Amino acid sequence: MPELSHRRRMLVLAICCMSLLIVSLDNTVLNVALPSMQKELHASVAGLQWTIDAYTLVLASLLMLAGSTADRIGRRRVFQAGLVLFTLGSLLCSLAPNLESLVAFRMVQAVGGSMLNPVAMSIITNTFTAPRERARAIGVWGGVVGISMAAGPLIGGLLVDSVGWRSIFWINLPIGIAALILTWRYVPESRAPKPRRPDPVGQLLVIGVLGALTYAIIEAPSAGLTSPLIVSFAAVAVLSLAGLLLYEPRRAEPLIDLRFFRSAPFSGATVIAICAFAALGGFLFLNTLYLQNVRGLSALHAGLYMLPMAAMTFLCAPLSGRLVGSRGPRLSLLIAGAAMTASGVLFAAFDAEATTTLMFSGYVLFGLGFGMVNAPITNTAVSGMPRSQAGVAAAVASTSRQIGQTLGVAVIGAVLAGGTVGAVASTSSTSYETGFMEASHPAWWIITACGLCVLLVGALTSGAWARGTAHRTAKRLEPAAGDSEAAPDAPVQKSAGTSADA
């Protein structure tokens, strides 16, 4: 990538953040709209899970392919294609006549989304090469998640109450079109000097693992854990995982380079991302249904209730980025794990939902924890990796996030569906409320366990021993990286306006 001026680098960061904004905003807005969708489309809890997981599942399956493809054929080109598909998918979602169509159009969105965040992170990684400058840029990137969490429930609630749930997809259209134009105008094209070859077998195995596992978890409450269908999908997931572990190390250029996971910080970042985003997915899913279906709040009021969590995420994300840049990831990870664990305990052991003050305290703690966890995940995932494979390294972190959110919604939704099935059949609202509260207790303990895992794994993988494993892993990766590790990306034809602003 050609050397850019400070002003131009800030503009590239802003454009990349626009892509993160529409992807993150889409998820938070959608959660607020779930009860309205449930009523209009006559959806079950499993149906609501699929409106979220159909998106995150496809996204998780294709992120690494998108990252390596962008490194090979050009990051700006893939980024622009993602913007087009995501914007088109948003338009189709707003026109969906039934639940099945909505799920299918969400998958179209996901194909586009898979080309956005990991590719944008790769662009940022290669634009901001100084470690501290990169950490600050990643902090801004994480702050956008906070903005989406703060604005999403409010914008979504206002749109759902005034226009209807279909309007939540309209907000992606102007942002997507603007980002597409700005990308063409200001983002220079770049690609890796020695990109890796495609790995179609590895890609199919990844889809087999994630797709079969998610289907088995979501459909298990209705079909039964021992039903032939569920057992078959669970077997497909296990066999696909075994095939992935056996096949990938034999390839010279695998889809997933398993040697990366010899680095304790990298492996820890992967586990932490899965746990943190599983907690987030379950947290949003539980609270959205509770506030609207149990407390009877409108979509807008439900969004206002969750504002303390969103505000803390917004405030803590850039602070975490600065902490990572100045003191490393350890402090941010410890704060994140402790805060998320404490939040889960409030709901699981002290019934925080029953008292508004206690519930808000739980929201503040969760927002603090989630705001602190994002920057160390991303920074650890891309630091020390060959710059020629920046797209793949960033995609592993993004894939871990999406896997976590997919599993969080699937598991929490399955626990909730299993506990409320009898209450839903009853015509008594009291029966439904009681069933929901009883089913939510084990769900909150699962979220607590995720927070505790962030704390323990963060402490284990951010010390001197962990740094030693990262150093040894970097040495092993040097032959694969060749001379490209220290070299900047190969510049290609500049975009319009490059010579004027670079």
Side-chain angles (χ1 to χ4, degrees):
M1 180 179 287
E3 187 67 28
L4 304 178
S5 66
H6 176 75
R7 177 188 173 198
R8 183 68 176 278
R9 292 199 300 272
M10 292 299 106
L11 184 56
V12 170
L13 175 62
I15 295 168
C16 291
C17 285
M18 289 175 71
S19 72
L20 177 63
L21 179 63
I22 57 176
V23 173
S24 301
L25 196 64
D26 192 74
N27 277 333
T28 54
V29 168
L30 180 67
N31 271 279
V32 175
L34 287 178
S36 297
M37 291 179 178
Q38 186 177 30
K39 293 175 183 176
E40 182 175 328
L41 301 178
H42 308 289
S44 62
V45 172
L48 296 181
Q49 288 173 270
W50 278 118
T51 61
I52 298 173
D53 276 356
Y55 177 86
T56 56
L57 179 60
V58 173
L59 201 65
S61 299
L62 298 179
L63 280 171
M64 284 178 283
L65 175 64
S68 59
T69 301
D71 284 345
R72 184 169 57 255
I73 70 172
R75 296 178 181 122
R76 187 182 73 162
R77 182 180 301 174
V78 172
F79 189 68
Q80 287 176 307
L83 287 169
V84 170
L85 277 175
F86 189 88
T87 305
L88 176 62
S90 299
L91 177 61
L92 292 174
C93 286
S94 70
L95 303 174
N98 51 50
L99 181 65
E100 292 76 15
S101 299
L102 178 61
V103 170
F105 295 149
R106 288 279 291 165
M107 295 172 75
V108 174
Q109 266 191 312
V111 175
S114 70
M115 304 178 191
L116 296 181
N117 288 0
V119 180
M121 179 52 65
S122 180
I123 292 172
I124 290 173
T125 301
N126 286 278
T127 300
F128 297 90
T129 54
R132 288 200 175 188
E133 191 178 38
R134 179 188 296 170
R136 292 191 185 99
I138 292 173
V140 173
W141 172 267
V144 174
V145 177
I147 293 174
S148 70
M149 290 185 69
L154 296 178
I155 295 174
L158 183 61
L159 289 173
V160 170
D161 284 350
S162 59
V163 183
W165 66 265
R166 297 178 186 277
S167 61
I168 65 173
F169 297 104
W170 298 345
I171 56 179
N172 296 331
L173 305 183
I175 300 176
I177 292 171
L180 181 63
I181 295 172
L182 290 171
T183 300
W184 170 79
R185 179 71 173 83
Y186 294 109
V187 176
E189 183 62 284
S190 67
R191 60 173 64 96
K194 296 180 181 178
R196 298 180 306 159
R197 291 176 294 180
D199 181 9
V201 175
Q203 182 63 59
L204 289 174
L205 289 172
V206 168
I207 294 173
V209 173
L210 298 180
L213 179 62
T214 303
Y215 184 91
I217 293 173
I218 290 179
E219 298 299 330
S222 59
L225 284 173
T226 58
S227 70
L229 182 66
I230 300 303
V231 171
S232 298
F233 272 91
V236 169
V238 172
L239 291 174
S240 297
L241 178 60
L244 194 67
L245 295 177
L246 291 173
Y247 175 78
E248 290 297 281
R250 299 184 180 185
R251 281 185 57 87
E253 297 178 342
L255 177 70
I256 306 173
D257 193 335
L258 298 181
R259 293 177 301 169
F260 285 178
F261 293 95
R262 295 176 182 174
S263 165
F266 185 85
S267 298
T270 302
V271 173
I272 290 167
I274 292 173
C275 292
F277 277 78
L280 175 67
F283 188 95
L284 293 176
F285 193 81
L286 271 177
N287 278 285
T288 297
L289 295 179
Y290 170 75
L291 291 173
Q292 296 188 53
N293 288 352
V294 177
R295 282 212 174 190
L297 299 178
S298 67
L300 178 58
H301 287 158
L304 289 170
Y305 262 64
M306 297 181 72
L307 189 58
M309 179 194 71
M312 287 303 296
T313 300
F314 172 67
L315 292 173
C316 292
L319 173 62
S320 179
R322 290 173 183 166
L323 280 176
V324 171
S326 60
R327 302 185 60 178
R330 187 178 182 86
L331 181 59
S332 291
L333 289 174
L334 295 180
I335 293 173
M340 294 174 76
T341 303
S343 174
V345 169
L346 280 181
F347 287 97
F350 297 99
D351 294 326
E353 306 101 314
T355 307
T356 300
T357 302
L358 202 58
M359 182 171 68
F360 282 166
S361 299
Y363 286 176
V364 168
L365 283 171
F366 192 89
L368 166 64
F370 187 74
M372 296 298 290
V373 82
N374 226 355
I377 289 172
T378 305
N379 191 72
T380 304
V382 300
S383 295
M385 295 301 166
R387 287 181 59 193
S388 62
Q389 297 181 18
V392 179
V396 171
S398 295
T399 298
S400 302
R401 290 180 173 91
Q402 299 305 324
I403 291 173
Q405 190 162 359
T406 300
L407 293 178
V409 172
V411 172
I412 297 301
V415 169
L416 195 61
T420 59
V421 63
V424 171
S426 171
T427 57
S428 169
S429 60
T430 304
S431 175
Y432 176 81
E433 179 177 348
T434 302
F436 189 98
M437 296 296 290
E438 290 179 353
S440 68
H441 278 95
W444 280 116
W445 281 118
I446 293 171
I447 292 173
T448 302
C450 289
L452 186 60
C453 185
V454 170
L455 176 63
L456 296 178
V457 175
L460 181 65
T461 61
S462 58
W465 165 80
R467 288 192 295 272
T469 65
H471 180 69
R472 290 190 294 272
T473 301
K475 285 187 175 180
R476 292 191 188 101
L477 289 172
E478 280 177 4
D483 296 332
S484 63
E485 183 171 2
D489 284 352
V492 296
Q493 185 177 358
K494 297 180 179 180
S495 62
T498 298
S499 58
D501 299 322

